[in-house]
Amino acid sequence: MSTPKNTSTGDVVGRHEAEQEMPASMRGDVNLLATLLGQVLRESDSPGLFEDVERLRTATIAAYTDTTPEAFDRAVEVVESFTLERADEVARAFTCYFHLVNLAEEHHRVRSLRTRDLEVDFPHKRGALAEAYAQLVEELGPEEASEKLQGLRFHPVFTAHPTEARRRAISTSIRRISGFLTDLESLSAAGTEAARVKGNLIEEIDTLWRTAPLRATKPTPEAEVRSVMAAFDDTLFTAVPNMYSRMDGALKGDIEAGYTGPVVPPFVRVGSWVGGDRDGNPFVTAKVTRTAAGIASEHVLRGLEQVALRVGRNLTLDGETTPASDELSALLASLRNKDEDAATEIAMRSPNEPHRHAMLLIARRVAATRTRNADLSYSDPEDLLSDLRIIQESLVSAGAKRQAFGTLQHLIWQVETYGFHLAELECRQHSEVHRRVLAELESGKPLSEQATEVLEVFRAISFIQDRYGKRAAGRYIVSFTTNAEDLANVYKLARAAVGPKGTPPVLDVVPLFETFDDLQAAPGVMNEIMVDPLYAARLEETGRQVEVMLGYSDSSKDVGPVAATLALYEAQQKIAQWADDNDIKLTLFHGRGGALGRGGGPANSAILAQPPHSVDGRFKLTEQGEVIFARYGDPEIAIRHMDQVAGAILQALAPSNEKRNWDAAAKYAGVAQTMEDASRAHFFELVKAPGFAPWFATVTPMEEIGMLALGSRPARRGLSVESLEDLRAIPWVFAWTQARINLAGWFGLGAALEAVGDLPILQEAYREWPLFRTMIDNVAMSLAKTDDRIASEYLALGDREDLSALVLNEMDRTRSWVTKIIGGEELLSNKPVLSRAVKLRSPYVDALSLIQLRALRALRNAPQDAETDPEVQRLLLLSVSGVAAGLQNTG
């Protein structure tokens, strides 16, 4: 694949303009990677492949800039001219290109972040949290601002929802290519070392090209656990303490940083549903849950052991210059008694180095904790923290403050954040499953396999808590909570699992309100559950802390994205008021997906748009699939993301932000009601139309998406496509995305805006109402990735002109209103970086969409009793993977 030349032909002008908007360094990376990919394609064993890729590339670029039917038809003709084998190869080539462009963009982001850190005068160098804290000090005063800072909590929860379309082998290859790009930056272009690195680079790109892009089989839940562990091992374990250190420096100043005790609390807690979420996934068993907890603990203890060893080896402080405190001397004596042989050996190698001596013995105890050596292991993380703080305080008293608050403080932060469990494993199950099991228990008949398994889960939670600590597992989420009994049932089942003489696990039962009706009923349900004796007892044990989860995905599928957004805002308002009335310390858990139709989008702007007191210093959300690796796959990006989120959480506490949201909600309440009613009515006109569900399955690759080996979880709760109720929200969003319609992210907004009808009022709302602004910006992003002509081709597969017209007319209407509200001539005119990224990819995504359409037509036009052509099916799945890479999201 070559880079475009600036010629007079229309096929390259649009692409050239998008490329010229790139920063020079990023443009250089894209050109280099594209040129090397082109060389790989030329060297392939498939004659003419490079030329065919170029034919399609130039045709789709021409069609992107020339909107005439003739230009589009020429691109279609190129795709139709390919054999199935050639179409397969071309789809893989474009997919490789997307992986490389995505890599170049990420690489540029990291480079920009590092450059900013070196620019002394960069206006936001201090970071988002430091800026937000300064605002709190100004508005609340230093004492109250400090109190708010100490209560800060950010709690991302990693899930195994199947939204990462690329294989782990592909991700690993991309990481290696990124490493070679980094190496190349520090070398002279003409040097021999640069030539060596370029050789490695093209070899790795060739490997990427030759690696099968599709998984042969679905991953097991255990494999999903190990895949998510990569984010901890490669990034989060070290990024989190580095982030705390940077924030501490920003708040105290570089001189004080690392010399005095930290100001920033260890505010990150990481959760995981991977291996714990069994709602609709029969492959997640109690055994899997135990295994998941064991894998996570093994990873964190191994990491803590290595850090403790490194800290100990570096603490070569002589006892004369840095004497041990009495407490440290007592600790050393205790450690020697537990591990006499090792203590003697360390003393011989490190005479009169008490802090080093103690730290190395602590490292051995951490290792013993991992290997289950009962004589030497720590009983819990607090036991280890106590020892570490004795060393820290001894260093401070001896004047070695840099050693006390340097790498040793990093280790303390890691233990505080991750404990011995790494991620707090959460279990989730559907409320209906609990009802069925309780009915079986009451019947007195032999238990079914499902009932036995449900009870075994509670025993697994007890086991995990006993072995890894209470924080390791304890939250139990009830999907589709409709009433207080759904929550009380969990405590009944936990008691039944251990019998009358056993002790049930310590559980915080978390309701998940998902549908529109359930969101409206949420405050009443919470009022009712508070009188349940078991729930009330746990409430007092936690200091009246309550967690409530809100489902973005199913509510959007239930009433449409606009009505769902407004209903979620209203639910949060009412739940926050309920918490305030009942002296509850509330944490709202946002079940957000990566795609805009599932509550996705920039987290910091979403936080600032929440109702007053609904965040209150604590923000918890789900992170899944491609989002995990986009936000946490690189240390610099992860630190930047967490800093922005933390800053937004603090800023949301500022009286000025709360007043802005209060005032806007009151001022535009009528606008909100009009929008909600109109959008929901128009959404129902579509999804409740007779025959909508099978039509949807025909005009999108919804059925075929279920064939992709994305995750262990089934794509549907049931088997029928006659109803959307059993279809999970992920394939609902994924399918519309693949069809270049993105309907789940915007449908109904055009009708809502037209119902309001007052452009000046809507433009004013965009300036003053954070929730509305976030909604409009997210829809603009979603619509920018749509394509009318390609969407029309997909919709034509269904032979329902009435439904197709509904979709296309609403797309046009929504785009028109959003563009006018934002101001400018096109979508994203106020977001140039995002606009550039979309324009850069769109013609290439079009190429894969046309290949997908060819495959989809062949499948839809085949006789019903004919066997599916495996080559056509493979081509379709390849194109699905490629489009996901090009659009950078799935479900």
Side-chain angles (χ1 to χ4, degrees):
M1 193 168 285
S2 68
T3 53
K5 307 291 191 297
N6 186 13
T7 71
S8 59
T9 56
D11 59 317
V12 295
V13 171
R15 175 65 178 82
H16 179 71
E17 289 173 354
E19 186 179 82
Q20 288 303 315
E21 294 174 5
M22 292 187 215
S25 54
M26 180 181 164
R27 186 164 63 248
D29 290 340
V30 171
N31 287 346
L32 172 64
L33 294 173
T35 299
L36 293 179
L37 176 59
Q39 185 174 338
V40 165
L41 297 180
R42 284 191 183 94
E43 294 171 355
S44 72
D45 296 331
S46 184
L49 171 59
F50 174 79
E51 289 73 19
D52 281 342
V53 169
E54 283 297 285
R55 275 203 302 138
L56 182 56
R57 185 183 71 81
T58 54
T60 51
I61 290 173
Y64 185 70
T65 55
D66 177 358
T67 57
T68 62
E70 292 77 15
F72 184 78
D73 290 343
R74 283 194 293 271
V76 173
E77 289 170 7
V78 173
V79 170
E80 294 297 329
S81 72
F82 296 152
T83 64
L84 279 176
E85 182 181 2
R86 179 46 53 88
D88 181 303
E89 293 173 325
V90 170
R92 287 170 48 214
F94 276 94
T95 302
C96 279
Y97 175 76
F98 284 132
H99 290 320
L100 296 175
V101 169
N102 294 344
L103 182 158
E105 283 195 335
E106 180 183 285
H107 190 73
H108 180 70
R109 286 181 63 198
V110 172
R111 179 167 48 218
S112 298
L113 290 172
R114 288 172 178 161
T115 302
R116 289 176 183 180
D117 287 340
L118 297 174
E119 293 177 5
V120 177
D121 297 327
F122 184 73
H124 301 296
K125 187 189 174 205
R126 294 180 64 200
L129 181 135
E131 296 294 330
Y133 184 68
Q135 181 180 347
L136 284 186
V137 170
E138 183 178 336
E139 295 190 27
L140 299 174
E143 188 173 333
E144 190 173 350
S146 177
E147 183 182 326
K148 298 291 188 186
L149 176 64
Q150 295 309 309
L152 178 65
R153 178 60 54 87
F154 172 47
H155 196 149
V157 179
F158 291 0
T159 80
H161 289 356
T163 65
E164 173 62 275
R166 67 188 183 193
R167 293 179 59 203
R168 188 174 178 184
I170 297 291
S171 299
T172 302
S173 180
I174 291 168
R175 287 288 165 222
R176 289 196 293 263
I177 294 170
S178 180
F180 292 138
L181 264 186
T182 301
D183 293 343
L184 207 55
E185 280 186 316
S186 61
L187 300 172
S188 166
T192 55
E193 185 63 15
R196 182 191 66 80
V197 173
K198 284 183 180 178
N200 291 336
L201 198 53
I202 192 169
E203 179 184 349
E204 194 58 54
I205 291 173
D206 193 34
T207 298
L208 178 65
W209 158 250
R210 294 175 184 276
T211 299
L214 301 176
R215 298 181 182 95
T217 58
K218 284 181 175 287
T220 64
E222 289 91 342
E224 290 172 331
V225 172
R226 295 190 186 280
S227 179
V228 169
M229 284 300 110
F232 292 110
D233 293 347
D234 299 343
T235 303
L236 279 175
F237 186 69
T238 54
V240 167
N242 285 337
M243 176 191 64
Y244 293 149
S245 181
R246 287 193 199 181
M247 290 178 174
D248 214 51
L251 290 177
K252 295 190 301 189
D254 292 336
I255 295 176
E256 285 293 309
Y259 186 70
T260 56
V263 176
V264 176
F267 63 83
V268 174
R269 292 293 181 271
V270 180
S272 177
W273 282 10
V274 189
D277 179 13
R278 61 240 318 126
D279 177 17
N281 190 345
F283 306 111
V284 177
T285 63
K287 181 181 178 183
V288 166
T289 300
R290 291 190 190 207
T291 300
I295 292 171
S297 180
E298 166 75 17
H299 277 251
V300 73
L301 286 170
R302 194 176 290 277
L304 293 174
E305 176 189 348
Q306 291 170 351
V307 176
L309 273 173
R310 186 169 64 250
V311 172
R313 288 167 180 160
N314 292 338
L315 278 178
T316 55
L317 311 178
D318 188 78
E320 295 297 323
T321 62
T322 317
S325 65
D326 292 343
E327 291 78 9
L328 179 61
S329 297
L331 173 61
L332 256 176
S334 173
L335 291 170
R336 286 193 195 102
N337 288 335
K338 292 178 183 292
D339 200 2
E340 291 182 11
D341 292 344
T344 300
E345 182 184 344
I346 292 170
M348 290 176 62
R349 289 189 280 111
S350 308
N352 202 28
E353 294 174 351
H355 297 89
R356 185 174 196 256
H357 194 168
M359 197 68 235
L360 290 174
L361 288 174
I362 286 173
R364 285 181 53 80
R365 289 199 67 189
V366 175
T369 307
R370 178 175 59 82
T371 59
R372 311 296 300 166
N373 179 345
D375 292 337
L376 196 56
S377 65
Y378 281 107
S379 59
D380 53 47
E382 287 68 32
D383 194 10
L384 168 59
L385 281 170
S386 176
D387 285 359
L388 294 176
R389 289 187 175 120
I390 288 173
I391 295 179
Q392 188 176 57
E393 289 161 8
S394 177
L395 289 166
V396 171
S397 65
K401 294 184 179 180
R402 293 290 178 192
Q403 288 74 22
F405 300 118
T407 54
L408 175 58
Q409 179 61 49
H410 280 225
L411 175 58
I412 290 172
W413 275 326
Q414 286 169 320
V415 179
E416 289 174 325
T417 301
Y418 299 121
F420 291 168
H421 57 276
L422 187 57
E424 298 175 14
L425 186 60
E426 302 184 353
C427 291
R428 181 172 75 133
Q429 183 56 281
H430 199 292
S431 57
E432 179 59 32
V433 172
H434 295 151
R435 293 188 206 111
R436 288 201 299 265
V437 174
L438 281 169
E440 284 192 45
L441 289 169
E442 291 169 7
S443 73
K445 296 178 181 178
L447 295 181
S448 66
E449 185 177 337
Q450 183 185 56
T452 302
E453 172 60 31
V454 166
L455 296 179
E456 188 59 35
V457 170
F458 294 101
R459 300 177 192 123
I461 294 172
S462 289
F463 170 84
I464 292 167
Q465 290 182 350
D466 290 343
R467 175 162 287 195
Y468 308 115
K470 294 293 188 289
R471 277 178 57 197
R475 289 184 182 84
Y476 195 104
I477 292 97
V478 182
S479 294
F480 288 94
T481 297
T482 59
N483 53 55
E485 187 180 9
D486 288 338
L487 304 179
N489 286 346
V490 177
Y491 289 112
K492 295 176 186 176
L493 289 167
R495 167 59 64 186
V498 298
K501 295 183 179 180
T503 302
V506 177
L507 290 176
D508 293 310
V509 181
V510 179
L512 170 49
F513 299 108
E514 302 186 67
T515 67
F516 180 79
D517 290 342
D518 291 342
L519 286 169
Q520 292 191 313
V525 172
M526 297 312 298
N527 260 330
E528 190 179 345
I529 192 59
M530 284 184 66
V531 301
D532 179 85
L534 293 176
Y535 189 92
R538 180 59 185 156
L539 190 62
E540 295 309 313
E541 289 172 3
T542 63
R544 302 187 69 75
Q545 295 185 54
V546 170
E547 195 169 293
V548 175
M549 186 172 182
L550 305 171
Y552 285 66
S553 308
D554 282 283
S555 59
S556 180
K557 184 166 69 75
D558 189 28
V559 294
V562 178
T565 297
L566 296 170
L568 281 159
Y569 188 91
E570 182 182 0
Q572 290 177 72
Q573 274 187 318
K574 291 180 178 179
I575 295 169
Q577 186 60 55
W578 164 83
D580 188 56
D581 293 343
N582 290 278
D583 190 28
I584 296 294
K585 186 177 181 180
L586 174 70
T587 298
L588 286 174
F589 181 8
H590 301 264
R592 299 163 64 91
L596 298 172
R598 304 189 59 238
N604 51 335
S605 59
I607 291 167
L608 293 174
Q610 301 306 311
H613 307 301
S614 64
V615 177
D616 211 19
R618 298 172 296 280
F619 188 68
K620 184 177 180 182
L621 81 165
T622 50
E623 304 274 39
Q624 64 194 41
E626 75 280 355
V627 173
I628 293 176
F629 293 99
R631 290 178 174 169
Y632 306 98
D634 179 272
E636 293 292 333
I637 291 174
I639 289 172
R640 172 67 170 165
H641 169 69
M642 290 185 285
D643 175 48
Q644 288 184 317
V645 170
I649 296 170
L650 275 190
Q651 191 180 344
L653 292 166
S656 59
N657 188 75
E658 292 182 344
K659 184 177 187 305
R660 180 165 56 250
N661 280 306
W662 274 123
D663 291 350
K667 181 176 180 179
Y668 298 106
V671 171
Q673 190 62 58
T674 299
M675 289 179 62
E676 182 177 329
D677 293 343
S679 68
R680 185 171 51 200
H682 199 54
F683 184 75
F684 285 169
E685 187 180 352
L686 176 68
V687 300
K688 293 185 181 296
F692 171 79
W695 175 79
F696 163 62
T698 301
V699 301
T700 71
M702 186 272 286
E703 283 290 320
E704 289 76 14
I705 285 169
M707 301 173 190
L708 274 174
L710 297 184
S712 64
R713 194 178 189 217
R716 294 198 299 271
R717 290 185 172 93
L719 297 176
S720 173
V721 295
E722 294 302 315
S723 169
L724 293 182
E725 291 180 5
D726 286 329
L727 180 67
R728 292 193 176 278
I730 290 171
W732 163 255
V733 175
F734 198 165
W736 285 121
T737 303
Q738 286 288 315
R740 305 295 299 283
I741 298 171
N742 287 349
L743 180 142
W746 55 262
F747 192 91
L749 179 61
L753 297 173
E754 191 168 277
V756 176
D758 191 327
L759 181 60
I761 287 290
L762 291 170
Q763 289 175 328
E764 185 179 73
Y766 183 71
R767 292 191 298 270
E768 297 179 355
W769 184 13
L771 179 70
F772 184 73
R773 185 181 187 92
T774 299
M775 183 193 302
I776 294 295
D777 285 347
N778 284 345
V779 167
M781 192 188 316
S782 184
L783 283 171
K785 296 181 180 181
T786 64
D787 186 284
D788 291 19
R789 292 176 299 180
I790 291 176
S792 298
E793 296 291 321
Y794 278 93
L795 295 173
L797 296 171
D799 196 25
R800 284 288 300 270
E801 290 186 9
D802 56 333
L803 298 182
S804 297
L806 263 179
V807 171
L808 293 173
N809 290 340
E810 180 66 359
M811 183 188 290
D812 288 342
R813 176 165 56 180
T814 305
R815 183 183 290 114
S816 174
W817 275 101
V818 168
T819 303
K820 287 185 290 187
I821 289 168
I822 291 174
E825 297 181 357
E826 60 181 14
L827 295 167
L828 302 181
S829 56
N830 60 339
K831 296 186 181 297
V833 174
L834 187 57
S835 178
R836 180 191 71 213
V838 172
K839 289 178 180 177
L840 179 66
R841 288 173 173 77
S842 289
Y844 297 83
V845 179
D846 293 351
L848 283 165
S849 293
L850 293 177
I851 291 174
Q852 184 176 117
L853 274 164
R854 172 182 167 175
L856 204 54
R857 285 194 195 96
L859 293 173
R860 297 291 182 265
N861 294 333
Q864 287 190 346
D865 56 351
E867 290 188 12
T868 301
D869 186 330
E871 290 187 10
V872 174
Q873 182 172 298
R874 172 183 159 81
L875 180 60
L876 179 69
L877 298 182
L878 279 172
S879 67
V880 167
S881 178
V883 170
L887 296 176
Q888 293 183 291
N889 59 39
T890 52

